[in-house]
Amino acid sequence: MTARRDVVLTPTEASLAVIWTSVLGTPVESPDTDFFDSGGDSFLATKVVVTVRQQWRIEVAVDLLLENTTLRELAWQIDEFTSSEPVE
């Protein structure tokens, strides 16, 4: 994938791109990158989700990545989880 300098990632997208790059072994530079089209599978998705849980301290299931397969979609979901106020 050729680097695109005109693409600006949100902080969550940028952090997630680092995780995906590490897991997939290939650079992820676009928010429209699809995890599975980039070589991801269910085993690698599990690795991503474990890292997401640790980094953002949120409880998410692998289904979150299975249902939100692009960097943008998953980052948006993470932002939703982390911006939610706990209900007491």
Side-chain angles (χ1 to χ4, degrees):
M1 179 181 291
T2 304
R4 293 183 51 197
R5 300 201 187 280
D6 60 332
V7 175
V8 177
L9 301 177
T10 68
T12 304
E13 289 170 347
S15 294
L16 196 54
V18 170
I19 296 168
W20 284 21
T21 295
S22 173
V23 169
L24 294 170
T26 184
V28 177
E29 299 166 341
S30 168
D32 297 316
T33 299
D34 185 282
F35 182 78
F36 296 100
D37 289 346
S38 299
D41 56 29
S42 58
F43 175 73
L44 295 176
T46 301
K47 291 177 76 171
V48 167
V49 169
V50 167
T51 306
V52 164
R53 288 175 183 161
Q54 293 169 344
Q55 183 163 332
W56 281 278
R57 293 187 169 106
I58 57 175
E59 276 302 313
V60 294
V62 174
D63 288 350
L64 187 68
L65 178 51
L66 299 177
E67 295 168 2
N68 299 278
T69 60
T70 68
L71 189 70
R72 176 176 301 170
E73 292 168 340
L74 186 58
W76 186 86
Q77 291 293 332
I78 291 168
D79 286 341
E80 286 294 302
F81 274 100
T82 58
S83 67
S84 298
E85 290 295 322
V87 177
E88 294 186 28

